[in-house]
Short mmCIF file of all heavy atoms in Angstrom, two decimals:
data_model
loop_
_atom_site.label_atom_id
_atom_site.label_comp_id
_atom_site.label_asym_id
_atom_site.label_seq_id
_atom_site.Cartn_x
_atom_site.Cartn_y
_atom_site.Cartn_z
N GLY F 83 -17.15 -9.68 -10.90
CA GLY F 83 -15.79 -9.77 -10.41
C GLY F 83 -15.72 -10.04 -8.92
O GLY F 83 -16.74 -10.16 -8.24
N VAL F 84 -14.51 -10.12 -8.43
CA VAL F 84 -14.25 -10.39 -7.02
C VAL F 84 -14.26 -9.07 -6.26
O VAL F 84 -13.53 -8.14 -6.60
CB VAL F 84 -12.89 -11.09 -6.85
CG1 VAL F 84 -12.54 -11.28 -5.38
CG2 VAL F 84 -12.89 -12.44 -7.59
N ASP F 85 -15.08 -9.00 -5.21
CA ASP F 85 -15.11 -7.77 -4.42
C ASP F 85 -14.34 -7.94 -3.12
O ASP F 85 -13.77 -9.01 -2.84
CB ASP F 85 -16.54 -7.28 -4.18
CG ASP F 85 -17.34 -8.17 -3.23
OD1 ASP F 85 -16.75 -8.99 -2.49
OD2 ASP F 85 -18.58 -8.05 -3.22
N GLU F 86 -14.31 -6.87 -2.33
CA GLU F 86 -13.45 -6.84 -1.15
C GLU F 86 -13.97 -7.68 0.01
O GLU F 86 -13.27 -7.86 1.02
CB GLU F 86 -13.25 -5.39 -0.70
CG GLU F 86 -12.51 -4.51 -1.69
CD GLU F 86 -13.40 -3.96 -2.81
OE1 GLU F 86 -14.63 -4.26 -2.81
OE2 GLU F 86 -12.88 -3.24 -3.67
N THR F 87 -15.19 -8.21 -0.10
CA THR F 87 -15.71 -9.09 0.95
C THR F 87 -15.21 -10.53 0.80
O THR F 87 -15.43 -11.35 1.69
CB THR F 87 -17.25 -9.09 0.96
OG1 THR F 87 -17.73 -9.66 -0.27
CG2 THR F 87 -17.79 -7.68 1.12
N ARG F 88 -14.56 -10.81 -0.31
CA ARG F 88 -14.00 -12.14 -0.53
C ARG F 88 -12.99 -12.47 0.56
O ARG F 88 -12.09 -11.67 0.86
CB ARG F 88 -13.30 -12.18 -1.89
CG ARG F 88 -12.48 -13.45 -2.16
CD ARG F 88 -13.33 -14.59 -2.64
NE ARG F 88 -12.56 -15.83 -2.68
CZ ARG F 88 -13.03 -16.98 -3.16
NH1 ARG F 88 -14.24 -17.02 -3.68
NH2 ARG F 88 -12.29 -18.06 -3.14
N PRO F 89 -13.10 -13.64 1.23
CA PRO F 89 -12.13 -13.98 2.28
C PRO F 89 -10.70 -14.04 1.73
O PRO F 89 -10.47 -14.49 0.61
CB PRO F 89 -12.60 -15.36 2.74
CG PRO F 89 -14.04 -15.43 2.38
CD PRO F 89 -14.17 -14.64 1.10
N LEU F 90 -9.77 -13.58 2.55
CA LEU F 90 -8.36 -13.64 2.17
C LEU F 90 -7.87 -15.08 2.28
O LEU F 90 -8.25 -15.81 3.20
CB LEU F 90 -7.52 -12.73 3.06
CG LEU F 90 -7.92 -11.25 3.05
CD1 LEU F 90 -6.98 -10.46 3.96
CD2 LEU F 90 -7.91 -10.68 1.65
N ASP F 91 -7.01 -15.48 1.35
CA ASP F 91 -6.52 -16.85 1.31
C ASP F 91 -5.19 -16.83 0.57
O ASP F 91 -5.12 -17.06 -0.63
CB ASP F 91 -7.52 -17.76 0.59
CG ASP F 91 -7.12 -19.22 0.62
OD1 ASP F 91 -6.28 -19.60 1.46
OD2 ASP F 91 -7.65 -19.99 -0.21
N PHE F 92 -4.11 -16.55 1.31
CA PHE F 92 -2.82 -16.32 0.68
C PHE F 92 -2.26 -17.61 0.10
O PHE F 92 -2.12 -18.60 0.81
CB PHE F 92 -1.82 -15.76 1.70
CG PHE F 92 -2.28 -14.54 2.44
CD1 PHE F 92 -1.72 -14.21 3.67
CD2 PHE F 92 -3.27 -13.73 1.93
CE1 PHE F 92 -2.12 -13.08 4.36
CE2 PHE F 92 -3.69 -12.60 2.62
CZ PHE F 92 -3.11 -12.27 3.84
N HIS F 93 -1.93 -17.57 -1.20
CA HIS F 93 -1.28 -18.70 -1.87
C HIS F 93 0.08 -18.26 -2.37
O HIS F 93 0.22 -17.14 -2.86
CB HIS F 93 -2.12 -19.17 -3.07
CG HIS F 93 -3.28 -20.03 -2.70
ND1 HIS F 93 -3.76 -21.03 -3.51
CD2 HIS F 93 -4.07 -20.05 -1.59
CE1 HIS F 93 -4.80 -21.61 -2.94
NE2 HIS F 93 -5.01 -21.04 -1.78
N SER F 94 1.06 -19.15 -2.25
CA SER F 94 2.45 -18.94 -2.66
C SER F 94 3.14 -18.02 -1.66
O SER F 94 2.49 -17.21 -0.98
CB SER F 94 2.57 -18.35 -4.07
OG SER F 94 2.31 -16.96 -4.10
N PRO F 95 4.47 -18.11 -1.54
CA PRO F 95 5.18 -17.18 -0.66
C PRO F 95 4.91 -15.72 -1.04
O PRO F 95 4.80 -14.86 -0.15
CB PRO F 95 6.65 -17.56 -0.88
CG PRO F 95 6.60 -19.00 -1.26
CD PRO F 95 5.36 -19.16 -2.09
N TYR F 96 4.81 -15.43 -2.32
CA TYR F 96 4.50 -14.06 -2.75
C TYR F 96 3.15 -13.61 -2.21
O TYR F 96 3.02 -12.51 -1.67
CB TYR F 96 4.51 -13.99 -4.28
CG TYR F 96 4.01 -12.68 -4.83
CD1 TYR F 96 4.79 -11.53 -4.78
CD2 TYR F 96 2.74 -12.59 -5.40
CE1 TYR F 96 4.33 -10.32 -5.28
CE2 TYR F 96 2.27 -11.39 -5.91
CZ TYR F 96 3.07 -10.26 -5.85
OH TYR F 96 2.61 -9.07 -6.34
N GLY F 97 2.13 -14.45 -2.34
CA GLY F 97 0.82 -14.10 -1.79
C GLY F 97 0.89 -13.89 -0.29
O GLY F 97 0.24 -12.97 0.26
N CYS F 98 1.69 -14.70 0.40
CA CYS F 98 1.82 -14.56 1.86
C CYS F 98 2.51 -13.25 2.24
O CYS F 98 2.10 -12.56 3.17
CB CYS F 98 2.59 -15.74 2.43
SG CYS F 98 1.68 -17.31 2.39
N SER F 99 3.60 -12.92 1.54
CA SER F 99 4.35 -11.72 1.91
C SER F 99 3.56 -10.45 1.58
O SER F 99 3.51 -9.51 2.38
CB SER F 99 5.71 -11.70 1.20
OG SER F 99 5.56 -11.59 -0.20
N LYS F 100 2.93 -10.42 0.41
CA LYS F 100 2.12 -9.24 0.07
C LYS F 100 0.87 -9.18 0.93
O LYS F 100 0.44 -8.08 1.33
CB LYS F 100 1.75 -9.28 -1.41
CG LYS F 100 2.90 -9.06 -2.37
CD LYS F 100 3.47 -7.65 -2.29
CE LYS F 100 2.58 -6.62 -2.94
NZ LYS F 100 3.23 -5.28 -3.01
N GLY F 101 0.29 -10.32 1.24
CA GLY F 101 -0.87 -10.33 2.11
C GLY F 101 -0.54 -9.85 3.52
O GLY F 101 -1.32 -9.14 4.16
N THR F 102 0.63 -10.25 4.02
CA THR F 102 1.09 -9.77 5.32
C THR F 102 1.21 -8.25 5.31
O THR F 102 0.73 -7.56 6.22
CB THR F 102 2.44 -10.40 5.67
OG1 THR F 102 2.28 -11.81 5.77
CG2 THR F 102 2.99 -9.85 6.97
N ALA F 103 1.85 -7.72 4.28
CA ALA F 103 2.01 -6.27 4.17
C ALA F 103 0.66 -5.57 4.06
O ALA F 103 0.42 -4.54 4.70
CB ALA F 103 2.88 -5.94 2.95
N ASP F 104 -0.23 -6.13 3.26
CA ASP F 104 -1.59 -5.62 3.08
C ASP F 104 -2.28 -5.44 4.43
O ASP F 104 -2.84 -4.38 4.75
CB ASP F 104 -2.33 -6.62 2.20
CG ASP F 104 -3.80 -6.35 1.94
OD1 ASP F 104 -4.53 -6.06 2.90
OD2 ASP F 104 -4.23 -6.48 0.78
N GLN F 105 -2.20 -6.47 5.26
CA GLN F 105 -2.89 -6.42 6.55
C GLN F 105 -2.20 -5.49 7.55
O GLN F 105 -2.87 -4.83 8.35
CB GLN F 105 -3.01 -7.83 7.11
CG GLN F 105 -3.94 -8.71 6.31
CD GLN F 105 -5.35 -8.15 6.25
OE1 GLN F 105 -6.11 -8.24 7.21
NE2 GLN F 105 -5.70 -7.54 5.12
N TYR F 106 -0.88 -5.42 7.49
CA TYR F 106 -0.18 -4.46 8.34
C TYR F 106 -0.56 -3.02 8.00
O TYR F 106 -0.78 -2.19 8.88
CB TYR F 106 1.34 -4.63 8.21
CG TYR F 106 1.96 -5.48 9.29
CD1 TYR F 106 2.32 -6.81 9.04
CD2 TYR F 106 2.20 -4.96 10.56
CE1 TYR F 106 2.90 -7.59 10.02
CE2 TYR F 106 2.77 -5.74 11.55
CZ TYR F 106 3.12 -7.06 11.28
OH TYR F 106 3.69 -7.83 12.26
N VAL F 107 -0.64 -2.73 6.70
CA VAL F 107 -0.99 -1.36 6.28
C VAL F 107 -2.38 -1.00 6.77
O VAL F 107 -2.62 0.11 7.29
CB VAL F 107 -0.88 -1.23 4.75
CG1 VAL F 107 -1.46 0.11 4.28
CG2 VAL F 107 0.58 -1.34 4.31
N ARG F 108 -3.32 -1.91 6.65
CA ARG F 108 -4.68 -1.64 7.14
C ARG F 108 -4.70 -1.50 8.66
O ARG F 108 -5.38 -0.64 9.22
CB ARG F 108 -5.62 -2.76 6.71
CG ARG F 108 -5.85 -2.83 5.20
CD ARG F 108 -7.01 -3.74 4.88
NE ARG F 108 -8.26 -3.16 5.35
CZ ARG F 108 -9.38 -3.86 5.58
NH1 ARG F 108 -9.36 -5.18 5.43
NH2 ARG F 108 -10.46 -3.26 5.98
N ASP F 109 -3.95 -2.37 9.35
CA ASP F 109 -3.99 -2.33 10.81
C ASP F 109 -3.31 -1.10 11.38
O ASP F 109 -3.72 -0.61 12.44
CB ASP F 109 -3.35 -3.59 11.40
CG ASP F 109 -3.56 -3.66 12.89
OD1 ASP F 109 -4.72 -3.87 13.30
OD2 ASP F 109 -2.59 -3.46 13.65
N TYR F 110 -2.30 -0.56 10.70
CA TYR F 110 -1.66 0.65 11.22
C TYR F 110 -2.60 1.85 11.13
O TYR F 110 -2.43 2.83 11.87
CB TYR F 110 -0.34 0.92 10.50
CG TYR F 110 0.85 0.31 11.23
CD1 TYR F 110 0.90 -1.06 11.52
CD2 TYR F 110 1.92 1.10 11.63
CE1 TYR F 110 1.97 -1.60 12.19
CE2 TYR F 110 3.01 0.55 12.30
CZ TYR F 110 3.03 -0.80 12.58
OH TYR F 110 4.10 -1.35 13.25
N ALA F 111 -3.58 1.79 10.25
CA ALA F 111 -4.63 2.81 10.26
C ALA F 111 -5.53 2.60 11.47
O ALA F 111 -5.89 3.55 12.18
CB ALA F 111 -5.43 2.76 8.97
N ARG F 112 -5.90 1.37 11.72
CA ARG F 112 -6.82 1.05 12.81
C ARG F 112 -6.17 1.23 14.18
O ARG F 112 -6.75 1.83 15.09
CB ARG F 112 -7.31 -0.39 12.64
CG ARG F 112 -8.21 -0.90 13.74
CD ARG F 112 -8.80 -2.25 13.38
NE ARG F 112 -7.75 -3.19 12.94
CZ ARG F 112 -7.82 -3.91 11.84
NH1 ARG F 112 -8.86 -3.81 11.03
NH2 ARG F 112 -6.86 -4.75 11.52
N THR F 113 -4.96 0.73 14.34
CA THR F 113 -4.32 0.69 15.65
C THR F 113 -3.57 1.98 16.00
O THR F 113 -3.63 2.45 17.14
CB THR F 113 -3.34 -0.50 15.72
OG1 THR F 113 -4.07 -1.71 15.50
CG2 THR F 113 -2.66 -0.57 17.08
N PHE F 114 -2.90 2.56 15.00
CA PHE F 114 -2.04 3.71 15.27
C PHE F 114 -2.53 5.01 14.63
O PHE F 114 -1.89 6.05 14.82
CB PHE F 114 -0.61 3.43 14.80
CG PHE F 114 0.02 2.24 15.49
CD1 PHE F 114 0.35 1.09 14.78
CD2 PHE F 114 0.27 2.26 16.85
CE1 PHE F 114 0.93 0.00 15.40
CE2 PHE F 114 0.85 1.17 17.50
CZ PHE F 114 1.18 0.04 16.77
N GLY F 115 -3.62 4.95 13.90
CA GLY F 115 -4.19 6.18 13.34
C GLY F 115 -3.50 6.71 12.10
O GLY F 115 -3.74 7.86 11.72
#
C-alpha cells in the first residue's frame, strides 16, 4: 500500500482543500505546539 512517505500531490479542488487543512493541522503542532 501507499505509506506516509509518498509525496503529496493534491488533485481536484477537494484534494486541494483537504490537503491544505491537512498541512495546517500538522504545522500548528510544529509551529505553535
